mmCIF file of all heavy atoms in Angstrom:
data_model
loop_
_atom_site.group_PDB
_atom_site.id
_atom_site.type_symbol
_atom_site.label_atom_id
_atom_site.label_comp_id
_atom_site.label_asym_id
_atom_site.label_seq_id
_atom_site.Cartn_x
_atom_site.Cartn_y
_atom_site.Cartn_z
ATOM 1 N N TYR C 415 1.603 13.357 -0.298
ATOM 2 C CA TYR C 415 1.444 12.345 0.772
ATOM 3 C C TYR C 415 1.671 10.952 0.182
ATOM 4 O O TYR C 415 2.501 10.185 0.673
ATOM 5 C CB TYR C 415 0.050 12.410 1.410
ATOM 6 C CG TYR C 415 -0.290 11.118 2.100
ATOM 7 C CD1 TYR C 415 0.306 10.774 3.315
ATOM 8 C CD2 TYR C 415 -1.140 10.185 1.491
ATOM 9 C CE1 TYR C 415 0.044 9.554 3.917
ATOM 10 C CE2 TYR C 415 -1.409 8.966 2.097
ATOM 11 C CZ TYR C 415 -0.809 8.650 3.294
ATOM 12 O OH TYR C 415 -1.058 7.441 3.883
ATOM 13 N N LEU C 466 -14.446 9.216 4.519
ATOM 14 C CA LEU C 466 -15.876 8.912 4.459
ATOM 15 C C LEU C 466 -16.490 8.534 5.802
ATOM 16 O O LEU C 466 -17.479 9.140 6.237
ATOM 17 C CB LEU C 466 -16.128 7.784 3.448
ATOM 18 C CG LEU C 466 -17.591 7.310 3.329
ATOM 19 C CD1 LEU C 466 -18.488 8.431 2.798
ATOM 20 C CD2 LEU C 466 -17.688 6.075 2.437
ATOM 21 N N THR C 482 -21.911 14.807 1.782
ATOM 22 C CA THR C 482 -21.952 14.897 0.313
ATOM 23 C C THR C 482 -21.273 13.666 -0.266
ATOM 24 O O THR C 482 -20.124 13.362 0.085
ATOM 25 C CB THR C 482 -21.208 16.159 -0.181
ATOM 26 O OG1 THR C 482 -21.823 17.308 0.403
ATOM 27 C CG2 THR C 482 -21.270 16.256 -1.700
ATOM 28 N N ARG C 497 -14.174 1.211 -2.717
ATOM 29 C CA ARG C 497 -12.965 1.101 -1.908
ATOM 30 C C ARG C 497 -12.997 -0.202 -1.111
ATOM 31 O O ARG C 497 -14.051 -0.831 -0.980
ATOM 32 C CB ARG C 497 -12.873 2.278 -0.914
ATOM 33 C CG ARG C 497 -12.721 3.640 -1.564
ATOM 34 C CD ARG C 497 -11.368 3.838 -2.181
ATOM 35 N NE ARG C 497 -11.169 5.200 -2.691
ATOM 36 C CZ ARG C 497 -11.608 5.629 -3.881
ATOM 37 N NH1 ARG C 497 -12.242 4.792 -4.693
ATOM 38 N NH2 ARG C 497 -11.371 6.877 -4.264
ATOM 39 N N ARG C 561 -14.955 14.361 -6.473
ATOM 40 C CA ARG C 561 -13.844 15.012 -5.774
ATOM 41 C C ARG C 561 -12.583 14.836 -6.617
ATOM 42 O O ARG C 561 -12.207 13.706 -6.950
ATOM 43 C CB ARG C 561 -13.662 14.390 -4.379
ATOM 44 C CG ARG C 561 -12.544 14.981 -3.549
ATOM 45 C CD ARG C 561 -12.528 14.450 -2.125
ATOM 46 N NE ARG C 561 -12.164 13.016 -2.094
ATOM 47 C CZ ARG C 561 -11.983 12.337 -0.953
ATOM 48 N NH1 ARG C 561 -12.142 12.921 0.225
ATOM 49 N NH2 ARG C 561 -11.646 11.056 -0.985
ATOM 50 N N ASP C 564 -9.906 11.666 -6.848
ATOM 51 C CA ASP C 564 -10.453 10.361 -6.451
ATOM 52 C C ASP C 564 -10.251 9.330 -7.548
ATOM 53 O O ASP C 564 -10.504 9.628 -8.727
ATOM 54 C CB ASP C 564 -11.959 10.492 -6.188
ATOM 55 C CG ASP C 564 -12.236 10.784 -4.729
ATOM 56 O OD1 ASP C 564 -11.340 10.541 -3.890
ATOM 57 O OD2 ASP C 564 -13.334 11.274 -4.415
HETATM 58 C C1 WQD R 770 -13.442 7.127 0.296
HETATM 59 C C2 WQD R 770 -14.579 7.322 -0.710
HETATM 60 C C3 WQD R 770 -14.689 9.517 -1.662
HETATM 61 C C4 WQD R 770 -15.758 11.639 1.988
HETATM 62 C C5 WQD R 770 -7.691 8.256 1.604
HETATM 63 C C6 WQD R 770 -6.241 8.393 1.303
HETATM 64 C C7 WQD R 770 -5.554 7.073 1.531
HETATM 65 C C8 WQD R 770 -5.835 6.589 2.927
HETATM 66 C C9 WQD R 770 -7.333 6.491 3.157
HETATM 67 C C10 WQD R 770 -4.042 7.220 4.382
HETATM 68 C C11 WQD R 770 -14.148 8.127 -1.919
HETATM 69 C C12 WQD R 770 -15.935 9.210 -0.830
HETATM 70 C C13 WQD R 770 -15.419 10.625 1.105
HETATM 71 C C14 WQD R 770 -16.992 12.323 1.830
HETATM 72 C C15 WQD R 770 -17.489 10.936 -0.062
HETATM 73 N N1 WQD R 770 -5.252 7.446 3.871
HETATM 74 N N2 WQD R 770 -16.277 10.290 0.108
HETATM 75 N N3 WQD R 770 -17.822 11.942 0.810
HETATM 76 O O1 WQD R 770 -9.716 8.961 -0.601
HETATM 77 O O2 WQD R 770 -10.105 6.437 -0.688
HETATM 78 O O3 WQD R 770 -8.249 7.333 0.713
HETATM 79 O O4 WQD R 770 -7.884 7.795 2.921
HETATM 80 O O5 WQD R 770 -3.301 6.320 4.122
HETATM 81 O O6 WQD R 770 -4.184 7.256 1.352
HETATM 82 O O7 WQD R 770 -6.115 8.720 -0.060
HETATM 83 O O8 WQD R 770 -10.605 7.691 1.419
HETATM 84 O O9 WQD R 770 -12.462 8.069 2.974
HETATM 85 O O10 WQD R 770 -11.476 10.074 1.735
HETATM 86 O O11 WQD R 770 -12.866 8.426 0.515
HETATM 87 O O12 WQD R 770 -18.251 10.606 -0.984
HETATM 88 O O13 WQD R 770 -17.366 13.258 2.598
HETATM 89 O O14 WQD R 770 -15.606 8.056 -0.063
HETATM 90 O O15 WQD R 770 -15.056 10.178 -2.861
HETATM 91 O O16 WQD R 770 -14.806 7.601 -3.051
HETATM 92 P P1 WQD R 770 -9.716 7.640 0.091
HETATM 93 P P2 WQD R 770 -11.860 8.631 1.738
#
Side-chain angles (χ1 to χ4, degrees):
Y415 159 74
L466 177 64
T482 301
R497 296 289 186 278
R561 180 173 68 175
D564 268 342

